[in-house]
Amino acid sequence: MSNENEMELEQQKKYTENCQIYVKAFQVEHGRVPKACVVTFGCQMNARDSEKLSGVLEKAGYELTDVEEEADFVLYNTCTVRDNANQRVYGRLGYLNSLKKKKPHLKIALCGCMMQEQSVIEKIKKSYRFVDLVFGTHNIFQFAKLLSETLSSGNMVVDIWQETDKIVENLPVKRKYSYKSGVNIMFGCNNFCSYCIVPYVRGRERSREPKDILREIETLVEDGVVEVMLLGQNVNSYGKNLENPLSFAALLQEVEKIEGLRRIRFMTSHPKDLSDDLIEVMRHSTKICRHLHLPLQAGSDRILQAMNRRYTKAQYLALTDKLKTAIPDISITTDLIVGFPGETPEDVEETIDVVKKVQFDNAFTFIYSPRTGTPAAAMENQVPEETVHEGFNKLLAVVQETAKERASLLQGRVMEALVEEVNEQDPAFVTGRLGNNMLVHFKADKRLVGKLVMVALDTCHGFYYTGRMVDWLGQTKHTRLGKMVDNQWLS
Ligand code: SAH
Ligand code: SF4
Ligand code: F3S
């Protein structure tokens, strides 16, 4: 770890100690420990950031809760990828204000992608004066400092950075799951797809050093994690800006070597940068899940070009063919946008055509949302709402039909599942996640949460399965020796 990193951590530790003084005083005054609630909007990167923010709050002495109404400190980690994400935040802020009226000591904080927009900051300063702290995506490593300032100040604290090239390692983290974790491998994005606001709110692409990533995963594994999800806006361009460049495929090979780690996932892959090396590494790997999220966005070449995606429909189809030939059981999922400026019903047919040809296991379909500052928002040929909805519904129907068909192909198979949680309605059942990301519900002991088990997929219910735990040969469990779990016999 560099000296600069050590100094930053040391400073944040001092600020955390200031927060602890406030927390102690709260305890004396109220006769209980204050509670904090972090609410995450948006993608996996935000979810991981929230774990780091929660880590600081926990170190400061807060008890963490998922219930906003119970909290004395509420932090919204926001997303601005589509306008409805922003609207949700504004809507809920009204509710937080009503809570604050009943509980004046309640502190309200906002951070994340939405806060990197100038217009949002102006609106909050003007119409949401009850907010106590606002910061963005570039200075979340200084959260302890910002928290300490907020707790000791009666005024709104606003600190937004335009850019940073700093990556601070070893910040405190409070993980949501004991058995799986996201791991950032890079931050920011350089692709500037013409509809997308992410490069403006997350800054330029920068990769973490491989040694830092590997050390983090090793520590996670020591702590009981069996599955990691490597995170970046475009993992396929990982490592290009490192002093000693290393490809994503090469990084994966290193991660694969970590003993005790059982499953590797990654997100997201841009089709233009997906290398043959990566396909080879996936093909030979015993740990990388046979699942690839490969956003297509649109099937029409004209629209793809206007989106600045830098691949054609034919190239995308060739790539997915190559993937399926190399890894026959691979599951491919995607993101699709309907209503990009200038898109005609014929263009939507091109997207539908790709869905039918590729047979996606799942697709997230989005209605295009103009984002101020992006080139697409300034385009004149915006599509009328009615046309967009028609295209969207047509596409969604094909996506759902294809996904169901793909899911039904697994009927009767025996597959490995990571047991993720106990069923709330019936605690005799658990939910497991298959390598392809599908869920399966089956009867099992709750102590198996976090373990990998073999499950027979008996009945397909559209997008999920119900099944039964079996041994490696596909026989129903309860042998004389007991149950085999995680390669070990349990009696
Ligand atoms: N970095 C990832 C995606 C991040 S955003 C990638 O390139 O694949 C997640 C998804 O949101 C995108 O894939 C896209 O489908 C969708 N999206 C982004 N901007 C959007 C917009 N302005 N309107 C509608 N959907 C959008
Ligand atoms: Fe947005 Fe494109 Fe970057 Fe993904 S690759 S974050 S869609 S600009
Ligand atoms: Fe949203 Fe920011 Fe992720 S805009 S999708 S939370 S990178």
Side-chain angles (χ1 to χ4, degrees), residues 189 191-193 195-196 198-199 233 270 297 309:
C189 180
N191 286 313
F192 290 95
C193 302
Y195 50 83
C196 185
V198 171
Q233 293 297 350
H270 195 304
Q297 314 298 3
R309 287 293 288 179

mmCIF file of all heavy atoms in Angstrom, residues 189 191-193 195-196 198-199 233 270 297 309, ligand 2:
data_model
loop_
_atom_site.group_PDB
_atom_site.id
_atom_site.type_symbol
_atom_site.label_atom_id
_atom_site.label_comp_id
_atom_site.label_asym_id
_atom_site.label_seq_id
_atom_site.Cartn_x
_atom_site.Cartn_y
_atom_site.Cartn_z
ATOM 1 N N CYS A 189 -15.827 5.159 -16.890
ATOM 2 C CA CYS A 189 -16.046 4.610 -18.230
ATOM 3 C C CYS A 189 -15.592 5.614 -19.277
ATOM 4 O O CYS A 189 -15.780 6.821 -19.105
ATOM 5 C CB CYS A 189 -17.536 4.313 -18.417
ATOM 6 S SG CYS A 189 -17.896 3.625 -20.038
ATOM 7 N N ASN A 191 -16.368 5.066 -22.661
ATOM 8 C CA ASN A 191 -17.012 4.703 -23.931
ATOM 9 C C ASN A 191 -17.961 5.756 -24.500
ATOM 10 O O ASN A 191 -18.157 5.792 -25.704
ATOM 11 C CB ASN A 191 -17.745 3.372 -23.784
ATOM 12 C CG ASN A 191 -16.750 2.234 -23.744
ATOM 13 O OD1 ASN A 191 -15.839 2.183 -24.559
ATOM 14 N ND2 ASN A 191 -16.893 1.349 -22.777
ATOM 15 N N PHE A 192 -18.539 6.541 -23.658
ATOM 16 C CA PHE A 192 -19.437 7.602 -24.128
ATOM 17 C C PHE A 192 -20.465 7.107 -25.141
ATOM 18 O O PHE A 192 -20.597 7.667 -26.226
ATOM 19 C CB PHE A 192 -18.636 8.785 -24.700
ATOM 20 C CG PHE A 192 -17.897 9.550 -23.632
ATOM 21 C CD1 PHE A 192 -16.564 9.267 -23.341
ATOM 22 C CD2 PHE A 192 -18.553 10.528 -22.892
ATOM 23 C CE1 PHE A 192 -15.897 9.964 -22.336
ATOM 24 C CE2 PHE A 192 -17.888 11.222 -21.896
ATOM 25 C CZ PHE A 192 -16.558 10.936 -21.621
ATOM 26 N N CYS A 193 -21.192 6.066 -24.808
ATOM 27 C CA CYS A 193 -22.356 5.687 -25.610
ATOM 28 C C CYS A 193 -23.257 6.922 -25.572
ATOM 29 O O CYS A 193 -23.402 7.553 -24.513
ATOM 30 C CB CYS A 193 -23.055 4.479 -25.002
ATOM 31 S SG CYS A 193 -21.933 3.068 -24.855
ATOM 32 N N TYR A 195 -26.255 7.802 -25.416
ATOM 33 C CA TYR A 195 -27.437 7.959 -24.554
ATOM 34 C C TYR A 195 -27.071 7.987 -23.077
ATOM 35 O O TYR A 195 -27.903 8.272 -22.223
ATOM 36 C CB TYR A 195 -28.405 6.764 -24.761
ATOM 37 C CG TYR A 195 -27.690 5.428 -24.649
ATOM 38 C CD1 TYR A 195 -27.459 4.852 -23.418
ATOM 39 C CD2 TYR A 195 -27.207 4.787 -25.789
ATOM 40 C CE1 TYR A 195 -26.751 3.668 -23.302
ATOM 41 C CE2 TYR A 195 -26.505 3.590 -25.676
ATOM 42 C CZ TYR A 195 -26.280 3.042 -24.441
ATOM 43 O OH TYR A 195 -25.573 1.888 -24.333
ATOM 44 N N CYS A 196 -25.826 7.662 -22.748
ATOM 45 C CA CYS A 196 -25.485 7.271 -21.372
ATOM 46 C C CYS A 196 -24.797 8.369 -20.565
ATOM 47 O O CYS A 196 -23.854 9.023 -21.020
ATOM 48 C CB CYS A 196 -24.600 6.029 -21.421
ATOM 49 S SG CYS A 196 -24.253 5.388 -19.780
ATOM 50 N N VAL A 198 -23.352 7.740 -17.546
ATOM 51 C CA VAL A 198 -22.362 7.171 -16.616
ATOM 52 C C VAL A 198 -20.961 7.800 -16.755
ATOM 53 O O VAL A 198 -20.357 8.175 -15.745
ATOM 54 C CB VAL A 198 -22.318 5.621 -16.723
ATOM 55 C CG1 VAL A 198 -21.165 5.039 -15.932
ATOM 56 C CG2 VAL A 198 -23.637 5.025 -16.238
ATOM 57 N N PRO A 199 -20.420 7.972 -17.976
ATOM 58 C CA PRO A 199 -19.075 8.557 -18.060
ATOM 59 C C PRO A 199 -18.992 9.957 -17.456
ATOM 60 O O PRO A 199 -17.938 10.374 -16.988
ATOM 61 C CB PRO A 199 -18.800 8.615 -19.569
ATOM 62 C CG PRO A 199 -19.708 7.594 -20.164
ATOM 63 C CD PRO A 199 -20.935 7.583 -19.303
ATOM 64 N N GLN A 233 -17.611 -0.937 -15.412
ATOM 65 C CA GLN A 233 -18.583 -0.597 -16.462
ATOM 66 C C GLN A 233 -18.275 -1.343 -17.746
ATOM 67 O O GLN A 233 -19.161 -1.592 -18.554
ATOM 68 C CB GLN A 233 -18.601 0.916 -16.724
ATOM 69 C CG GLN A 233 -19.123 1.739 -15.564
ATOM 70 C CD GLN A 233 -20.578 1.430 -15.225
ATOM 71 O OE1 GLN A 233 -21.273 0.731 -15.950
ATOM 72 N NE2 GLN A 233 -21.029 1.929 -14.096
ATOM 73 N N HIS A 270 -18.485 -5.181 -22.548
ATOM 74 C CA HIS A 270 -18.885 -4.473 -23.777
ATOM 75 C C HIS A 270 -18.509 -5.388 -24.959
ATOM 76 O O HIS A 270 -17.372 -5.816 -25.064
ATOM 77 C CB HIS A 270 -18.136 -3.142 -23.865
ATOM 78 C CG HIS A 270 -18.728 -2.205 -24.872
ATOM 79 N ND1 HIS A 270 -18.905 -2.553 -26.185
ATOM 80 C CD2 HIS A 270 -19.196 -0.937 -24.751
ATOM 81 C CE1 HIS A 270 -19.459 -1.529 -26.828
ATOM 82 N NE2 HIS A 270 -19.643 -0.539 -25.976
ATOM 83 N N GLN A 297 -28.146 -3.511 -26.556
ATOM 84 C CA GLN A 297 -28.813 -2.183 -26.639
ATOM 85 C C GLN A 297 -29.774 -2.092 -27.812
ATOM 86 O O GLN A 297 -30.915 -1.710 -27.651
ATOM 87 C CB GLN A 297 -27.808 -1.013 -26.677
ATOM 88 C CG GLN A 297 -26.673 -1.070 -25.667
ATOM 89 C CD GLN A 297 -27.110 -1.049 -24.208
ATOM 90 O OE1 GLN A 297 -28.277 -1.052 -23.901
ATOM 91 N NE2 GLN A 297 -26.142 -1.101 -23.312
ATOM 92 N N ARG A 309 -21.958 2.621 -30.274
ATOM 93 C CA ARG A 309 -21.634 1.350 -29.628
ATOM 94 C C ARG A 309 -20.417 0.661 -30.286
ATOM 95 O O ARG A 309 -19.828 -0.262 -29.727
ATOM 96 C CB ARG A 309 -22.844 0.401 -29.657
ATOM 97 C CG ARG A 309 -23.940 0.803 -28.706
ATOM 98 C CD ARG A 309 -23.547 0.677 -27.264
ATOM 99 N NE ARG A 309 -23.460 -0.709 -26.808
ATOM 100 C CZ ARG A 309 -23.117 -1.067 -25.571
ATOM 101 N NH1 ARG A 309 -22.822 -0.147 -24.681
ATOM 102 N NH2 ARG A 309 -23.061 -2.328 -25.227
HETATM 103 FE FE1 SF4 B 2 -22.704 3.768 -20.391
HETATM 104 FE FE2 SF4 B 2 -21.719 2.768 -22.595
HETATM 105 FE FE3 SF4 B 2 -20.110 3.208 -20.525
HETATM 106 FE FE4 SF4 B 2 -21.904 1.268 -20.410
HETATM 107 S S1 SF4 B 2 -20.164 1.379 -21.814
HETATM 108 S S2 SF4 B 2 -21.469 2.767 -18.839
HETATM 109 S S3 SF4 B 2 -23.607 2.091 -21.559
HETATM 110 S S4 SF4 B 2 -21.156 4.745 -21.729
#
